[in-house]
Amino acid sequence: MNRSLYGMKLEEIMEALKLEKKFQARIVRDNLVKGVTDFSEMTSLSKKDRERLSYDAMTTKVIERQESESTVKLAIRLSDGLVIECVRLSDGRDRFTACLSSQVGCAMGCAFCKTGTMGLRRNLEPGEIIEQFVHLEKLGEEISHIVFMGMGEPLNNFTAVMEAIQVLHDPEQFNISYRKITISTSGFVPGIHKLTELELPLKLAVSLVTADDNKRSRIMRINRTYPLSELKKALISFQHHENKRITLEYCMLKGYNTGKEDAEKLRKFMSGMDALVNLIPWNPVEGMEFETPTDVEIRAFTNELKKLNINYSIRREKGRVISGACGQLASKIE
Ligand code: SAH
Ligand code: SF4
């Protein structure tokens, strides 16, 4: 099986395609970035090269496309037959965001998340991460932002995710500024420290869900290993280096984490930190016992947040119909 040409250095492209000159590899790479993977269409290559070259530039294939409102979800088959999903989100105007997966499934097993029910099948290769972006761009709009909020825990596949980010950032390739790339983690503390050490202006989001240690440990196993006190220390240290606002993803679960006390604990967790709380009313997953809070419950909670001067936003549940909303990604087809 071919290795993906996406993510290869110029020297590696030269070797894979048996090219003699670096400029030829550069032409190939420029075309790949534009989504052109067929050598016969790479018009700046010599006719000889166009006819000679044969290599599957991409290792993945879109097998299903679902659309609802402005959200598009793609199911993508990997070379070993496993299937992942990625989503293109739109703000309704001209801003498009790619929501990428970092793993097939996820080892974390958070009780409210569909991906967690799959377990971890395997990590994605850098090329497989980049190819998701390419497939999403081929939908026809320029994508300006990337969030690692698809399947998997990106900090558990650190090296591959960072390699992919280097390529997606590279001004000679996809040219997405670090500031427009968000890594979302369930709170894998050693990974947050490693990220801090890189000193890159990437954005960090944390799936907090609740600022109560007992409640968090009950529904997020990671909290049993890295409790809130350690998570907070890691976040403050990240912020100290990057000086960037952190997003705390707060998946709202009816009757579980939406009370006055929950707001107060959240306030306490956020003290000394510049953070925005992003409220995500739970998106239904079949077979799970949680429920989506009612509008009244959501409003009561946001009123408490307001009283405590907590900055928050509410994420509209785009893509629910196609199971493309947060926490609804899992591959049924294998
Ligand atoms: N593993 C990383 C990246 C995935 S992001 C992480 O957990 O941060 C997926 C986001 O969707 C997380 O913020 C998670 O809290 C949220 N989420 C998971 N299941 C959900 C559901 N059923 N409804 C709403 N949000 C959910
Ligand atoms: Fe994995 Fe994130 Fe889902 Fe938890 S919320 S199971 S860490 S993808």
Side-chain angles (χ1 to χ4, degrees):
M1 180 49 76
N2 273 342
R3 224 185 105 198
S4 173
L5 288 184
Y6 284 95
M8 278 195 190
K9 304 208 164 46
L10 291 175
E11 294 74 17
E12 294 172 306
I13 295 179
M14 285 170 69
E15 201 186 312
L17 301 182
K18 301 190 175 53
L19 297 168
E20 276 163 17
K21 298 276 191 297
K22 209 168 185 170
F23 84 88
Q24 296 168 301
R26 199 179 289 277
I27 292 174
V28 170
R29 199 179 66 180
D30 290 349
N31 275 282
L32 293 176
V33 169
K34 281 187 251 155
V36 179
T37 51
D38 187 341
F39 298 103
S40 66
E41 290 170 21
M42 300 187 182
T43 47
S44 8
L45 285 175
S46 71
K47 188 155 178 282
K48 200 172 121 233
D49 282 337
R50 263 180 283 158
E51 284 165 2
R52 175 184 72 88
L53 290 176
S54 110
Y55 189 101
D56 287 331
M58 280 194 141
T59 59
T60 66
K61 199 169 179 282
V62 175
I63 53 169
E64 193 184 7
R65 168 189 166 149
Q66 286 175 279
E67 212 161 323
S68 143
E69 294 168 78
S70 48
T71 304
V72 185
K73 179 172 85 166
L74 300 179
I76 291 175
R77 188 167 53 223
L78 308 173
S79 58
D80 58 1
L82 292 173
V83 177
I84 52 167
E85 295 182 329
C86 58
V87 181
R88 191 191 71 185
L89 306 155
S90 147
D91 68 349
R93 282 170 298 177
D94 50 0
R95 175 167 151 177
F96 291 90
T97 299
C99 176
L100 305 182
S101 292
S102 55
Q103 299 180 310
V104 188
C106 182
M108 298 298 179
C110 302
F112 49 86
C113 170
K114 188 167 175 189
T115 312
T117 63
M118 291 176 69
L120 176 65
R121 306 297 297 270
R122 71 168 172 87
N123 279 331
L124 292 180
E125 302 282 331
E128 293 171 326
I129 297 172
I130 301 163
E131 287 186 21
Q132 293 172 57
F133 184 85
V134 176
H135 288 305
L136 291 172
E137 276 228 310
K138 279 191 177 177
L139 295 172
E141 302 289 347
E142 195 179 325
I143 295 174
S144 57
H145 291 69
I146 296 173
V147 294
F148 281 91
M149 294 187 183
M151 293 161 68
E153 166 55 53
L155 296 183
N156 265 6
N157 185 16
F158 194 88
T159 311
V161 168
M162 290 307 149
E163 266 184 59
I165 287 178
Q166 288 308 326
V167 172
L168 293 164
H169 164 74
D170 182 359
E172 289 191 358
Q173 297 189 62
F174 295 91
N175 196 23
I176 308 283
S177 126
Y178 287 129
R179 286 161 219 288
K180 295 181 177 174
I181 302 178
T182 302
I183 295 194
S184 180
T185 176
S186 56
F188 183 57
V189 168
I192 299 174
H193 286 310
K194 255 163 86 180
L195 191 65
T196 305
E197 280 163 23
L198 291 182
E199 299 196 24
L200 296 175
L202 291 165
K203 288 184 73 177
L204 185 62
V206 178
S207 300
L208 187 68
V209 188
T210 161
D212 176 306
D213 254 321
N214 285 327
K215 285 190 193 177
R216 197 165 191 268
S217 289
R218 231 175 289 150
I219 56 174
M220 296 180 77
R221 287 205 297 258
I222 181 110
N223 199 69
R224 301 176 202 165
T225 317
Y226 305 105
L228 289 166
S229 56
E230 281 187 45
L231 177 58
K232 180 168 178 173
K233 264 191 247 159
L235 295 181
I236 287 182
S237 153
F238 176 85
Q239 189 144 65
H240 185 74
H241 283 77
E242 288 317 319
N243 198 21
K244 289 175 73 78
R245 174 170 281 192
I246 290 169
T247 305
L248 302 176
E249 308 285 341
Y250 201 98
C251 176
M252 298 178 79
L253 306 165
K254 183 175 178 182
Y256 195 76
N257 59 357
T258 55
K260 187 164 183 271
E261 248 177 56
D262 297 299
E264 279 157 5
K265 290 205 163 139
L266 182 56
R267 171 70 269 172
K268 204 162 150 240
F269 181 80
M270 292 171 75
S271 67
M273 204 188 287
D274 176 16
L276 170 80
V277 176
N278 188 206
L279 300 172
I280 318 169
W282 185 67
N283 291 313
V285 179
E286 228 183 273
M288 285 188 181
E289 282 175 12
F290 295 103
E291 279 179 63
T292 310
T294 60
D295 287 347
V296 174
E297 187 174 338
I298 295 173
R299 211 164 316 118
F301 190 61
T302 55
N303 281 338
E304 294 300 332
L305 298 184
K306 274 186 216 150
K307 275 192 231 158
L308 296 168
N309 278 322
I310 296 177
N311 287 321
Y312 71 89
S313 60
I314 301 188
R315 190 177 302 173
R316 286 158 293 154
E317 316 88 342
K318 281 191 197 154
R320 256 196 201 170
V321 187
I322 54 171
S323 289
C326 280
Q328 293 186 312
L329 301 189
S331 33
K332 34 187 188 303
I333 327 144
E334 270 178 25

